[in-house]
C-alpha cells in the first residue's frame, strides 16, 4: 500500500510516500526556518504563508522521487494536530482536496504519535527495528512537546506524563536566545556543549509529584540568573553554560524515561522529535539503557525533525 503523507504543522512543509508503513520511497522537506530567524522564534503568520507556497511543489517532488503518479497512491495521510492552526490548515485543505478529487481515503494522524513511529521507517541506510519491539515506552522531545507514552500498539498509545511548562526543545531555544546564540537553539547548544565540559556550574532539575512529568522553566530561569550574575566576570564561558544546561535537561529526560521502562516492565524505548537529534541525549540514553537491559531506539537524524514519512508510516496502521 502506497500512502502519500503530508505534514505542515509548523515551519516545515513535507510530503512523503511510504510503502506498507515501512519503506520511505521519498521524503521531501521544505522549511521557512530562515524567515523566522531574525525574530528568534517561529512567526505563525509567516509560517502559514510559506506553507501555501511550498505545498504543491513539495507534493509533486515527493511523487517524482518515489517514481509514482497520483494514480498509484492508495491513501492520503495528513497531520491533523497538534500544531499551528494556520500551518495545519494548509496541509489539511490540500490533503482533503486530493482525497476528494482522487476518491482516495484520507487518514488524519497525530503529530506526536508519528514522531515515535519514525523509529520504524526504513530510510536510506537506516534499518528499523521490527514492530515486534512493542510494547515500548515512547519519549517525544520536540520544540512543542515533551511527553512519555506507553505504546502497546500504534492504535493504543497511553500518555503517562508530559511537561508542565516549557518543552525540552523550547528550553534549548530560549536558553540559546538568552546566550545570544540564534534560533533554533538545540543544534548550537549541542555543538558548544562539547567544548564546555565542566563540574563547576550546576543547574537544577525539577522534582515533580508525578514521576512521568517534566518541567524545564526552572533550569531556564537558573541560566538567566547565572548569566546576569557572571556575564561581566572573566570566568564567564558560554560553552560551559551550554554544557551544564544540557546536562540538566538530558539528565531528567534520561532518568524519567528509563524509570518509566522499569516501572512498567518494558524493555524498549522509542525516542522521537527534534531533540532526539541531541548527541548527549543519544549517548546517555543508550548508556543508561545498556546498564539495565533496555533497548533504546532513535530515528535517523532526518526523521527526528518534522517530516511526512512518519505521518504516512503511522497512517498505514491506523
Ligand atoms: O520536532 P521538531 O522539528 O519540531 C517540533 O515539532 O517542535 O523539533 C524542533 C526542536 C527545536 O526546539 C530545536 O531546538 C530542537 O528540536 N533541536 C535540538 C537539536 N536539534 C534540534 N535540541 C537539542 N539538540 C539538538 N541537536
Ligand atoms: Zn514535531
Amino acid at each position: 500500500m502506497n500512502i502519500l503523507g503530508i505534514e505542515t504543522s509548523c515551519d516545515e512543509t513535507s510530503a512523503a510516500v511510504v510503502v506498507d508503513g515501512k519503506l520511505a520511497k521519498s521524503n521531501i522537506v521544505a522549511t521557512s526556518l530562515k524567515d523566522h530567524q531574525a525574530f528568534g522564534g517561529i512567526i505563525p503568520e509567516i509560517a502559514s504563508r510559506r506553507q501555501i507556497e511550498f505545498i504543491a511543489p513539495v507534493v509533486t517532488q515527493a511523487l517524482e522521487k518515489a517514481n509514482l503518479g497520483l494514480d498509484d497512491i492508495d491513501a492520503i495521510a495528513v497531520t491533523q494536530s497538534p500544531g499551528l492552526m494556520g500551518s495545519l490548515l494548509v496541509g489539511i485543505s490540500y490533503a482533503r482536496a486530493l482525497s476528494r478529487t482522487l476518491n482516495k481515503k484520507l487518514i488524519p494522524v497525530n503529530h506526536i504519535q508519528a514522531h515515535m513511529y519514525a523509529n520504524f521507517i526504513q530510510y536510506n541506510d537506516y534499518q528499523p527495528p521490527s514492530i515486534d519491539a512493542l510494547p515500548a515506552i515512547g519519549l517525544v522531545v520536540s520544540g512543542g512537546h515533551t511527553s512519555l507514552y506507553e505504546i502497546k500498539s500504534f492504535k493504543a498509545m497511553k500518555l503517562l506524563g508530559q511537561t508542565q511548562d516549557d518543552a525540552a526543545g523550547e528550553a534549548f531555544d530560549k536558553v540559546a536566545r538568552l546566550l545570544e546564540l540564534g534560533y533554533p537553539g538545540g543544534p548550537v547548544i549541542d555543538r558548544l556543549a562539547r567544548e564546555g565540559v565542566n563540574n563547576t556550574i550546576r543547574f537544577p532539575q525539577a522534582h515533580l509529584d508525578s514521576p512521568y512529568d517534566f518541567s524545564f522553566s526552572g533550569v531556564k530561569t537558573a541560566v538567566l540568573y547565572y548569566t546576569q550574575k557572571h556575564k561581566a566576570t572573566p570566568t564567564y564561558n558560554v560553552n560551559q553554560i551550554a554544557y551544564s544546561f544540557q546536562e540538566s535537561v538530558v539528565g531528567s529526560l534520561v532518568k524519567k524515561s528509563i524509570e518509566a521502562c522499569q516501572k512498567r516492565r518494558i524493555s524498549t524505548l522509542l525516542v522521537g522529535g527534534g531533540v532526539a537529534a541531541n548527541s548527549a541525549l543519544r549517548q546517555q540514553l543508550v548508556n543508561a539503557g545498556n546498564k539495565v537491559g533496555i533497548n533504546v531506539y532513535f530515528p535517523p537524524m532526518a526523521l527526528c525533525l518534522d517530516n511526512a514519512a512518519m505521518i504516512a508510516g503511522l497512517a498505514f496502521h491506523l
Side-chain angles (χ1 to χ4, degrees), residues 17-53:
V17 179
V18 176
V19 186
D20 293 342
K22 192 172 172 197
L23 174 69
K25 282 203 152 180
S26 63
N27 182 54
I28 306 293
V29 184
T31 177
S32 59
L33 182 70
K34 281 205 169 69
D35 300 316
H36 308 280
Q37 271 166 337
F39 303 98
I42 303 293
I43 307 295
E45 180 64 23
I46 297 177
S48 49
R49 283 171 189 273
R50 290 286 177 271
Q51 294 286 4
I52 296 171
E53 290 167 28

Side-chain angles (χ1 to χ4, degrees), residues 145-165:
H145 305 277
T146 301
S147 320
L148 275 172
Y149 283 84
E150 183 168 342
I151 310 166
K152 293 209 167 105
S153 78
F154 280 105
K155 278 185 168 172
M157 300 194 192
K158 184 176 153 205
L159 181 67
L160 297 176
Q162 59 189 329
T163 183
Q164 301 299 298
D165 39 57

Side-chain angles (χ1 to χ4, degrees), residues 148 160-165 205-215 255-256 259 263:
L148 275 172
L160 297 176
Q162 59 189 329
T163 183
Q164 301 299 298
D165 39 57
Q205 276 175 20
H207 294 285
L208 300 162
D209 289 341
S210 161
Y212 305 130
D213 283 342
F214 299 91
S215 165
K255 184 168 164 278
K256 294 195 173 217
E259 265 175 28
K263 286 203 172 108

